């Protein structure tokens, strides 16, 4: 939520209203006291703008000027940071780092993948078991219980001459994050179409 915006004329009007009553305190436009208030008011207007900016910077999702300090606080950029991201993407990384409690659920990985603009399928394997497997099921060894295959259906859309390079960077970023958050006992395979 943005703080209210007050102009210099708003401050002149308020300061005039705070003056004592009487003939020695005129509120006319051409008086010395009004000229003095008009000289002070722009300073107050600038200060309230700076105060509003500080309120925005107090929260990582809306920060502008304090974005480098927020990044330093959460340890960004790191190995999985996007290369040369926009300020909005940098803010999203900070928020993700502060609020993203990783877990090994499919929902967590689906949300992570979607937040980066990808659409993927996730395949988990299970070893063959006499009581669970049916005729025609693929037979996997015990080691396959610790493998996930993530197959890209759609990559984020980029435009311009460097779209292919940006897609490749996005895939590297995704691969780094998947490897970071995947449980230690899981081997992940990412399949990207050619």
């Amino acid at each position: 939520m943005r703080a209210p915006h007050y102009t210099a004329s708003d401050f002149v009007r308020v300061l005039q209203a705070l003056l004592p009553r009487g003939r020695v305190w005129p509120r006319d436009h051409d008086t010395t006291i009004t000229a003095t208030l008009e000289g002070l008011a722009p300073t107050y207007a600038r200060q309230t703008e700076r105060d509003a900016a500080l309120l925005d910077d107090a929260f990582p999702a809306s920060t502008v000027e304090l974005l480098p300090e927020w990044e330093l606080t959460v340890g960004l950029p790191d190995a999985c940071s996007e290369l040369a991201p926009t300020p909005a993407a940098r803010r999203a990384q900070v928020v993700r780092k502060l609020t993203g409690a990783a877990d090994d659920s499919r929902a967590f990985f689906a949300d992570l993948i979607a937040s980066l603009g990808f659409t993927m399928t996730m395949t988990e394997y299970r070893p063959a078991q006499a009581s669970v497997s049916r005729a025609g099921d693929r037979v996997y060894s015990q080691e396959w219980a610790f493998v996930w295959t993530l197959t890209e259906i759609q990559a984020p859309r980029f435009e311009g001459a460097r779209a292919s390079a940006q897609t490749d960077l996005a895939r590297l970023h995704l691969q780094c994050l998947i490897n970071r958050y995947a449980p230690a006992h899981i081997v992940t395979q990412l399949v990207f179409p050619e």
Side-chain angles (χ1 to χ4, degrees):
M1 182 174 124
R2 183 80 172 143
H5 174 74
Y6 296 110
T7 64
S9 61
D10 293 332
F11 280 102
V12 169
R13 202 169 45 256
V14 168
L15 291 170
Q16 283 178 332
L18 292 173
L19 290 173
R21 302 279 176 218
R23 279 191 280 173
V24 294
W25 302 102
R27 287 159 176 79
D28 299 328
H29 184 66
D30 59 347
T31 60
T32 304
I33 196 156
T34 299
T36 303
L37 296 178
E38 287 173 346
L40 295 172
T43 302
Y44 299 143
R46 279 193 307 275
Q47 288 173 340
T48 58
E49 281 299 311
R50 298 301 303 139
D51 292 345
L54 183 59
L55 285 175
D56 286 342
D57 282 332
F59 301 97
S62 60
T63 187
V64 176
E65 293 178 31
L66 294 181
L67 181 56
E69 284 78 5
W70 277 108
E71 289 174 323
L72 184 64
T73 299
V74 297
L76 290 173
D78 62 8
C80 290
S81 295
E82 295 177 49
L83 298 176
T86 63
R90 290 171 58 199
R91 280 191 291 275
Q93 285 179 2
V94 170
V95 170
R96 189 179 318 125
K97 193 98 179 222
L98 285 170
T99 61
D103 62 41
D104 61 356
S105 70
R106 290 177 68 100
F108 169 77
F109 285 94
D111 290 344
L112 176 66
I113 291 166
S115 74
L116 298 174
F118 286 89
T119 305
M120 303 186 92
T121 61
M122 180 178 187
T123 306
E124 293 179 274
Y125 302 94
R126 62 184 172 133
Q129 296 176 350
S131 62
V132 178
S133 300
R134 298 177 305 221
D137 283 353
R138 293 196 60 151
V139 177
Y140 297 102
S141 65
Q142 189 65 32
E143 291 80 25
W144 279 92
F146 305 105
V147 175
W148 292 349
T149 301
L150 299 166
T151 307
E152 177 184 294
I153 296 171
Q154 183 176 344
R157 301 264 183 219
F158 296 104
E159 300 198 9
R162 300 189 60 231
S164 177
Q166 289 175 313
T167 301
D168 291 342
L169 286 175
R171 287 174 175 161
L172 286 173
H173 180 62
L174 172 67
Q175 193 162 13
C176 184
L177 289 175
I178 294 292
N179 290 337
R180 171 185 285 171
Y181 293 125
H185 64 282
I186 296 292
V187 175
T188 57
Q189 302 180 72
L190 276 79
V191 180
F192 300 114
E194 294 300 321

